[in-house]
Amino acid sequence: CFKGAKQAKIFEKLIPIPLKQEALLFKSVLAKGYPIILTSRLYESLESRQVKKTGHISLPDLAKEKRLGNHAWTLVGYNDQL
């Protein structure tokens, strides 16, 4: 396990691309069997009543909200039927 991990490389992509193209890129990478790791910053609005009620998360107001921390996801597949 650790031997394989030593050979793995993390690629950082900071070039903004349109969402539709990003989705196609993600699908292409996942279809080849590679996972995608995403990170994001978490802000106070994440803990709002509205989010708890609906599960829908809006973009934070960076000028007013305190940063709570970070979160990471690993994407390993997708389903176009949902």
XYZ file of all heavy atoms in Angstrom:
656
model
N 0.822 -1.189 0.000
C 0.000 0.000 0.000
C 0.873 1.264 0.000
O 0.677 2.149 -0.799
C -0.924 -0.036 1.192
S -1.979 1.406 1.322
N 1.819 1.333 0.922
C 2.658 2.523 1.010
C 3.624 2.636 -0.167
O 3.941 3.730 -0.603
C 3.427 2.547 2.331
C 2.543 2.768 3.522
C 2.332 1.772 4.437
C 1.890 3.985 3.701
C 1.501 1.965 5.526
C 1.054 4.202 4.786
C 0.854 3.176 5.695
N 4.074 1.499 -0.698
C 4.954 1.534 -1.869
C 4.230 2.164 -3.050
O 4.781 2.980 -3.767
C 5.437 0.130 -2.224
C 6.441 -0.436 -1.268
C 6.881 -1.828 -1.700
C 7.840 -2.425 -0.683
N 8.263 -3.770 -1.072
N 2.974 1.786 -3.242
C 2.180 2.357 -4.323
C 1.924 3.836 -4.105
O 1.942 4.626 -5.044
N 1.700 4.221 -2.856
C 1.433 5.620 -2.546
C 2.637 6.507 -2.827
O 2.494 7.648 -3.254
C 1.006 5.760 -1.087
N 3.835 5.985 -2.609
C 5.043 6.763 -2.873
C 5.168 7.122 -4.348
O 5.732 8.138 -4.709
C 6.289 5.993 -2.430
C 6.493 5.974 -0.946
C 7.796 5.256 -0.610
C 8.044 5.244 0.871
N 9.301 4.578 1.216
N 4.634 6.271 -5.214
C 4.726 6.514 -6.650
C 3.633 7.460 -7.146
O 3.725 7.987 -8.243
C 4.626 5.189 -7.401
C 5.771 4.258 -7.090
C 5.575 2.887 -7.702
O 4.684 2.688 -8.504
N 6.417 1.952 -7.323
N 2.605 7.671 -6.352
C 1.484 8.527 -6.761
C 1.896 9.992 -6.707
O 2.675 10.403 -5.854
C 0.287 8.289 -5.849
N 1.387 10.751 -7.625
C 1.683 12.178 -7.662
C 0.377 12.956 -7.609
O -0.627 12.548 -8.190
C 2.419 12.536 -8.943
C 3.715 11.773 -9.126
C 4.799 12.701 -9.551
C 6.069 11.986 -9.894
N 6.853 11.529 -8.842
N 0.390 14.070 -6.922
C -0.780 14.946 -6.859
C -0.567 16.070 -7.849
O 0.458 16.751 -7.832
C -0.977 15.496 -5.435
C -1.289 14.346 -4.482
C -2.078 16.540 -5.426
C -1.396 14.759 -3.043
N -1.526 16.254 -8.721
C -1.458 17.326 -9.710
C -2.380 18.444 -9.275
O -3.523 18.217 -8.923
C -1.875 16.799 -11.087
C -0.967 15.721 -11.586
C -1.269 14.390 -11.385
C 0.210 16.042 -12.242
C -0.435 13.394 -11.835
C 1.062 15.052 -12.697
C 0.737 13.721 -12.492
N -1.879 19.645 -9.301
C -2.664 20.805 -8.892
C -3.090 21.564 -10.134
O -2.278 21.917 -10.966
C -1.813 21.702 -7.985
C -2.596 22.833 -7.398
C -1.767 23.600 -6.387
O -1.042 22.967 -5.600
O -1.843 24.824 -6.419
N -4.383 21.785 -10.273
C -4.907 22.486 -11.439
C -5.600 23.747 -10.957
O -6.611 23.670 -10.270
C -5.889 21.596 -12.198
C -6.391 22.226 -13.462
C -7.136 21.191 -14.267
C -7.690 21.728 -15.533
N -6.762 22.269 -16.464
N -5.050 24.886 -11.307
C -5.601 26.160 -10.869
C -6.161 26.984 -12.018
O -6.479 28.134 -11.846
C -4.523 26.965 -10.139
C -3.954 26.310 -8.884
C -2.818 27.136 -8.318
C -5.040 26.131 -7.843
N -6.293 26.380 -13.172
C -6.798 27.116 -14.331
C -8.315 27.046 -14.324
O -8.890 25.963 -14.417
C -6.248 26.502 -15.639
C -4.723 26.529 -15.624
C -6.810 27.219 -16.852
C -4.088 25.699 -16.711
N -9.000 28.194 -14.197
C -10.467 28.142 -14.211
C -10.982 27.740 -15.590
O -10.515 28.243 -16.602
C -10.885 29.565 -13.863
C -9.672 30.400 -13.938
C -8.477 29.509 -14.019
N -11.916 26.802 -15.603
C -12.526 26.383 -16.854
C -14.040 26.378 -16.657
O -14.526 26.218 -15.537
C -12.022 24.994 -17.314
C -12.258 23.939 -16.236
C -10.576 25.026 -17.709
C -11.881 22.537 -16.654
N -14.811 26.544 -17.739
C -16.271 26.538 -17.611
C -16.774 25.243 -16.970
O -16.208 24.166 -17.181
C -16.761 26.665 -19.057
C -15.620 27.293 -19.792
C -14.373 26.799 -19.107
N -17.845 25.343 -16.199
C -18.365 24.204 -15.440
C -18.659 23.001 -16.331
O -18.351 21.868 -15.973
C -19.626 24.620 -14.677
C -20.204 23.594 -13.721
C -19.179 23.178 -12.684
C -21.436 24.134 -13.055
N -19.246 23.219 -17.511
C -19.561 22.096 -18.396
C -18.287 21.365 -18.816
O -18.236 20.140 -18.831
C -20.323 22.595 -19.620
C -20.858 21.488 -20.469
C -21.769 22.013 -21.563
C -22.360 20.868 -22.352
N -23.308 21.315 -23.354
N -17.236 22.112 -19.128
C -15.965 21.487 -19.502
C -15.341 20.783 -18.298
O -14.726 19.734 -18.429
C -15.001 22.527 -20.065
C -15.373 23.004 -21.439
C -14.405 24.053 -21.957
O -13.591 24.593 -21.219
N -14.500 24.337 -23.236
N -15.500 21.389 -17.118
C -14.959 20.777 -15.905
C -15.624 19.428 -15.654
O -14.957 18.449 -15.322
C -15.176 21.711 -14.718
C -14.540 21.226 -13.441
C -14.657 22.254 -12.343
O -13.775 23.111 -12.238
O -15.647 22.177 -11.597
N -16.941 19.361 -15.841
C -17.656 18.102 -15.644
C -17.149 17.043 -16.619
O -16.947 15.884 -16.238
C -19.155 18.318 -15.815
N -16.925 17.412 -17.859
C -16.401 16.457 -18.847
C -14.997 15.995 -18.475
O -14.665 14.818 -18.616
C -16.406 17.082 -20.243
C -17.779 17.339 -20.852
C -17.642 18.102 -22.171
C -18.546 16.048 -21.047
N -14.175 16.920 -17.990
C -12.826 16.567 -17.557
C -12.886 15.592 -16.381
O -12.186 14.580 -16.365
C -12.048 17.825 -17.169
C -10.663 17.608 -16.571
C -9.733 16.957 -17.586
C -10.081 18.932 -16.096
N -13.734 15.894 -15.402
C -13.874 15.008 -14.241
C -14.317 13.618 -14.685
O -13.766 12.612 -14.245
C -14.887 15.577 -13.252
C -14.373 16.679 -12.376
C -13.138 17.271 -12.595
C -15.122 17.138 -11.324
C -12.670 18.289 -11.781
C -14.666 18.153 -10.498
C -13.439 18.720 -10.727
N -15.315 13.547 -15.559
C -15.799 12.248 -16.021
C -14.701 11.477 -16.741
O -14.572 10.266 -16.576
C -16.999 12.432 -16.955
C -18.254 12.842 -16.235
C -19.371 12.979 -17.248
C -20.661 13.367 -16.617
N -21.749 13.442 -17.613
N -13.925 12.168 -17.541
C -12.840 11.526 -18.278
C -11.811 10.928 -17.324
O -11.374 9.791 -17.498
C -12.176 12.549 -19.205
O -11.032 12.016 -19.801
N -11.439 11.694 -16.315
C -10.453 11.219 -15.334
C -11.012 10.028 -14.554
O -10.333 9.013 -14.379
C -10.051 12.368 -14.379
C -9.249 11.859 -13.198
C -9.267 13.433 -15.137
N -12.266 10.133 -14.108
C -12.884 9.043 -13.348
C -13.050 7.791 -14.198
O -12.845 6.671 -13.707
C -14.234 9.498 -12.791
C -14.168 10.593 -11.716
C -15.547 11.149 -11.445
C -13.515 10.085 -10.450
N -13.399 7.970 -15.470
C -13.581 6.820 -16.362
C -12.277 6.052 -16.573
O -12.295 4.858 -16.850
C -14.143 7.285 -17.707
N -11.167 6.739 -16.420
C -9.856 6.087 -16.550
C -9.435 5.394 -15.255
O -8.365 4.808 -15.176
C -8.801 7.109 -16.966
C -9.009 7.620 -18.380
C -8.000 8.679 -18.729
C -8.300 9.216 -20.131
N -7.440 10.336 -20.488
N -10.281 5.507 -14.220
C -9.999 4.814 -12.960
C -9.265 5.635 -11.927
O -8.860 5.105 -10.891
N -9.087 6.933 -12.184
C -8.387 7.792 -11.228
C -9.384 8.513 -10.326
O -10.424 8.968 -10.793
C -7.549 8.849 -11.951
C -6.432 8.275 -12.768
C -6.535 8.188 -14.151
C -5.268 7.812 -12.164
C -5.504 7.662 -14.916
C -4.243 7.282 -12.922
C -4.367 7.210 -14.289
O -3.349 6.681 -15.037
N -9.074 8.670 -9.049
C -9.934 9.470 -8.174
C -9.619 10.956 -8.348
O -8.564 11.323 -8.865
C -9.533 9.000 -6.772
C -8.094 8.633 -6.930
C -7.972 8.058 -8.323
N -10.541 11.788 -7.922
C -10.336 13.243 -7.928
C -10.528 13.730 -6.500
O -11.523 13.407 -5.854
C -11.335 13.945 -8.861
C -11.122 13.473 -10.301
C -11.201 15.470 -8.751
C -12.178 13.952 -11.261
N -9.572 14.491 -6.007
C -9.644 15.027 -4.658
C -9.957 16.510 -4.754
O -9.276 17.260 -5.460
C -8.331 14.796 -3.887
C -8.058 13.302 -3.795
C -8.396 15.429 -2.500
C -6.685 12.949 -3.307
N -11.010 16.942 -4.049
C -11.422 18.341 -4.030
C -11.347 18.864 -2.606
O -11.568 18.107 -1.650
C -12.868 18.481 -4.519
C -13.175 17.951 -5.906
C -14.675 17.965 -6.146
C -12.469 18.783 -6.945
N -11.045 20.123 -2.466
C -11.065 20.760 -1.146
C -11.842 22.066 -1.243
O -11.956 22.655 -2.311
C -9.647 21.071 -0.627
O -9.021 22.007 -1.501
C -8.807 19.816 -0.522
N -12.386 22.489 -0.114
C -13.055 23.788 -0.075
C -12.963 24.362 1.328
O -12.749 23.640 2.305
C -14.522 23.665 -0.499
O -15.234 22.926 0.459
N -13.137 25.649 1.382
C -13.181 26.341 2.672
C -14.625 26.356 3.140
O -15.543 26.489 2.344
C -12.664 27.767 2.520
C -11.202 27.800 2.172
C -10.741 29.214 1.940
N -9.318 29.199 1.642
C -8.655 30.223 1.169
N -9.276 31.352 0.920
N -7.358 30.127 0.936
N -14.827 26.245 4.442
C -16.166 26.253 5.025
C -16.393 27.555 5.775
O -15.520 28.014 6.504
C -16.336 25.078 5.978
C -16.064 23.692 5.395
C -16.248 22.626 6.459
C -16.942 23.419 4.198
N -17.590 28.125 5.609
C -17.947 29.397 6.254
C -19.209 29.231 7.085
O -19.931 28.244 6.967
C -18.119 30.490 5.199
C -16.808 30.865 4.551
C -16.343 30.177 3.442
C -16.023 31.880 5.075
C -15.125 30.502 2.855
C -14.803 32.216 4.500
C -14.359 31.516 3.386
O -13.157 31.839 2.823
N -19.494 30.232 7.902
C -20.601 30.176 8.862
C -21.947 29.837 8.227
O -22.761 29.143 8.836
C -20.718 31.505 9.604
C -19.568 31.777 10.537
C -19.634 33.162 11.154
O -19.859 34.134 10.404
O -19.471 33.248 12.376
N -22.211 30.308 7.026
C -23.513 30.059 6.393
C -23.781 28.574 6.203
O -24.937 28.152 6.073
C -23.610 30.787 5.053
O -22.583 30.357 4.178
N -22.753 27.759 6.217
C -22.922 26.314 6.083
C -23.767 25.756 7.223
O -24.462 24.760 7.065
C -21.556 25.625 6.058
C -21.574 24.120 5.853
C -22.091 23.784 4.452
C -20.201 23.547 6.063
N -23.739 26.425 8.367
C -24.474 25.959 9.540
C -25.812 26.669 9.724
O -26.407 26.605 10.795
C -23.607 26.134 10.783
C -22.349 25.288 10.740
C -21.485 25.433 11.971
O -21.559 26.474 12.658
O -20.714 24.501 12.253
N -26.297 27.323 8.691
C -27.554 28.075 8.801
C -28.759 27.146 8.873
O -28.696 25.973 8.490
C -27.719 29.015 7.604
O -28.007 28.266 6.436
N -29.889 27.685 9.356
C -31.143 26.915 9.413
C -31.579 26.487 8.020
O -32.084 25.389 7.822
C -32.243 27.754 10.055
C -32.072 27.938 11.526
C -33.244 28.693 12.105
N -32.952 29.057 13.471
C -33.484 30.065 14.100
N -34.349 30.838 13.482
N -33.172 30.329 15.349
N -31.393 27.389 7.046
C -31.805 27.097 5.674
C -31.049 25.887 5.115
O -31.632 25.025 4.475
C -31.597 28.333 4.785
C -32.168 28.193 3.401
C -33.695 28.140 3.383
O -34.360 28.490 4.338
N -34.236 27.685 2.274
N -29.766 25.840 5.364
C -28.965 24.706 4.884
C -29.401 23.426 5.587
O -29.548 22.374 4.959
C -27.455 24.960 5.077
C -26.647 23.701 4.799
C -26.989 26.094 4.184
N -29.627 23.504 6.882
C -30.077 22.324 7.626
C -31.429 21.828 7.124
O -31.683 20.634 7.063
C -30.140 22.629 9.119
C -28.778 22.772 9.750
C -28.880 23.141 11.209
C -27.483 23.379 11.767
N -27.511 23.868 13.134
N -32.291 22.765 6.733
C -33.634 22.419 6.266
C -33.624 21.854 4.850
O -34.282 20.846 4.565
C -34.526 23.661 6.321
C -35.951 23.430 5.899
C -36.746 24.721 6.010
C -38.167 24.516 5.486
N -38.928 25.768 5.532
N -32.886 22.489 3.951
C -32.947 22.133 2.527
C -31.751 21.326 2.036
O -31.850 20.640 1.028
C -33.024 23.403 1.657
O -31.789 24.128 1.779
C -34.190 24.281 2.048
N -30.609 21.473 2.689
C -29.390 20.833 2.211
C -28.704 21.618 1.105
O -27.657 21.234 0.622
N -29.299 22.746 0.711
C -28.722 23.581 -0.349
C -27.766 24.592 0.256
O -28.130 25.321 1.169
C -29.817 24.305 -1.124
C -30.734 23.363 -1.819
N -31.974 23.741 -2.259
C -30.611 22.044 -2.149
C -32.572 22.718 -2.834
N -31.767 21.673 -2.771
N -26.559 24.642 -0.278
C -25.520 25.529 0.241
C -25.269 26.647 -0.762
O -24.997 26.392 -1.934
C -24.204 24.749 0.480
C -24.454 23.607 1.456
C -23.108 25.677 0.980
C -23.315 22.620 1.555
N -25.388 27.893 -0.301
C -25.120 29.057 -1.150
C -23.669 29.479 -0.999
O -22.992 29.093 -0.051
C -26.023 30.219 -0.743
O -27.368 29.873 -0.886
N -23.221 30.291 -1.933
C -21.873 30.847 -1.804
C -21.832 31.775 -0.597
O -22.776 32.544 -0.364
C -21.491 31.612 -3.069
C -21.286 30.752 -4.312
C -21.030 31.640 -5.526
C -20.135 29.784 -4.117
N -20.764 31.743 0.181
C -20.686 32.582 1.384
C -20.424 34.048 1.040
O -19.890 34.365 -0.021
C -19.498 31.994 2.144
C -18.649 31.382 1.085
C -19.591 30.894 0.036
N -20.802 34.921 1.963
C -20.466 36.338 1.866
C -19.120 36.502 2.573
O -19.053 36.596 3.795
C -21.537 37.193 2.539
C -21.270 38.674 2.419
O -20.126 39.075 2.107
O -22.213 39.447 2.635
N -18.049 36.513 1.814
C -16.700 36.512 2.384
C -16.401 37.745 3.223
O -15.560 37.699 4.114
C -15.666 36.363 1.263
C -15.791 35.091 0.424
C -14.724 35.070 -0.656
C -15.709 33.852 1.291
N -17.106 38.850 2.945
C -16.878 40.083 3.708
C -17.499 40.014 5.100
O -17.068 40.717 6.007
C -17.448 41.276 2.946
N -18.503 39.136 5.286
C -19.234 39.104 6.552
C -19.064 37.814 7.347
O -19.259 37.801 8.549
C -20.731 39.308 6.294
C -21.071 40.653 5.722
C -22.560 40.763 5.485
C -22.924 42.109 4.882
N -24.361 42.203 4.604
N -18.717 36.739 6.662
C -18.704 35.448 7.342
C -17.321 35.027 7.813
O -16.327 35.278 7.144
C -19.246 34.361 6.407
C -20.706 34.538 6.096
C -21.252 33.378 5.321
O -21.010 32.221 5.732
O -21.923 33.621 4.308
N -17.330 34.355 8.952
C -16.098 33.815 9.516
C -15.828 32.444 8.899
O -16.734 31.644 8.689
C -16.265 33.673 11.033
C -15.074 33.109 11.740
C -15.349 32.987 13.233
C -14.177 32.316 13.918
N -14.465 32.057 15.340
N -14.585 32.201 8.585
C -14.181 30.899 8.057
C -14.123 29.887 9.196
O -13.525 30.131 10.242
C -12.816 31.024 7.384
C -12.358 29.756 6.729
C -11.107 30.007 5.924
N -10.429 28.758 5.648
C -9.210 28.679 5.201
N -8.511 29.780 4.970
N -8.658 27.512 4.965
N -14.755 28.738 8.986
C -14.802 27.704 10.022
C -13.707 26.662 9.878
O -13.309 26.033 10.847
C -16.160 26.996 9.991
C -17.386 27.865 10.227
C -18.647 27.033 10.095
C -17.312 28.532 11.589
N -13.259 26.446 8.676
C -12.244 25.421 8.443
C -12.249 24.981 6.994
O -12.632 25.745 6.113
N -11.849 23.754 6.761
C -11.758 23.197 5.415
C -12.428 21.832 5.376
O -12.653 21.210 6.414
C -10.292 23.033 5.000
C -9.553 24.343 5.010
O -9.963 25.296 4.374
N -8.459 24.399 5.747
N -12.705 21.367 4.153
C -13.269 20.044 3.978
C -12.709 19.462 2.682
O -12.405 20.200 1.751
C -14.798 20.102 3.907
C -15.439 18.752 3.961
N -15.450 17.985 5.095
C -16.070 18.035 3.016
C -16.072 16.843 4.845
N -16.462 16.856 3.576
N -12.576 18.159 2.634
C -12.078 17.490 1.431
C -13.031 16.375 1.029
O -13.685 15.763 1.876
C -10.689 16.910 1.684
N -13.114 16.153 -0.281
C -13.912 15.078 -0.848
C -13.034 14.281 -1.794
O -12.142 14.828 -2.416
C -15.081 15.596 -1.701
C -16.081 16.406 -0.981
C -17.199 15.962 -0.341
C -16.093 17.825 -0.829
N -17.897 17.019 0.188
C -17.240 18.176 -0.098
C -15.244 18.848 -1.246
C -17.550 19.479 0.221
C -15.553 20.141 -0.917
C -16.692 20.445 -0.195
N -13.359 13.020 -1.938
C -12.721 12.195 -2.953
C -13.824 11.679 -3.875
O -14.743 10.999 -3.431
C -11.974 11.000 -2.335
O -10.999 11.492 -1.414
C -11.272 10.181 -3.408
N -13.728 12.060 -5.150
C -14.689 11.574 -6.146
C -14.139 10.298 -6.756
O -12.983 10.249 -7.170
C -14.881 12.615 -7.248
C -15.302 14.014 -6.821
C -15.451 14.904 -8.043
C -16.581 13.976 -6.024
N -14.971 9.268 -6.805
C -14.516 7.993 -7.350
C -15.417 7.481 -8.473
O -15.140 6.447 -9.064
C -14.393 6.922 -6.244
C -13.308 7.291 -5.249
C -15.723 6.695 -5.549
N -16.493 8.202 -8.767
C -17.392 7.777 -9.827
C -18.477 8.810 -10.054
O -18.514 9.843 -9.390
N -19.368 8.523 -10.987
C -20.478 9.420 -11.281
C -21.626 8.620 -11.876
O -21.467 7.471 -12.288
C -20.061 10.535 -12.246
C -19.604 10.040 -13.600
C -20.506 9.933 -14.652
C -18.283 9.678 -13.824
C -20.092 9.484 -15.899
C -17.860 9.227 -15.065
C -18.769 9.127 -16.093
O -18.368 8.677 -17.320
N -22.814 9.217 -11.870
C -23.991 8.575 -12.407
C -24.774 9.607 -13.197
O -25.331 10.526 -12.631
C -24.858 8.007 -11.273
C -26.067 7.261 -11.779
O -26.466 7.378 -12.941
N -26.670 6.502 -10.903
N -24.804 9.467 -14.506
C -25.527 10.411 -15.368
C -27.039 10.221 -15.307
O -27.785 11.025 -15.837
C -25.064 10.267 -16.820
C -23.738 10.925 -17.078
O -23.408 11.894 -16.373
O -23.018 10.472 -17.979
N -27.486 9.165 -14.660
C -28.928 8.871 -14.611
C -29.643 9.613 -13.493
O -30.859 9.589 -13.421
C -29.147 7.359 -14.444
C -28.500 6.526 -15.537
C -28.925 6.942 -16.937
O -30.110 7.101 -17.209
N -27.969 7.128 -17.830
N -28.926 10.244 -12.590
C -29.562 10.963 -11.468
C -29.972 12.345 -11.872
O -29.424 13.008 -12.641
C -28.606 11.028 -10.276
C -28.236 9.677 -9.691
C -27.219 9.859 -8.578
C -29.464 8.975 -9.147
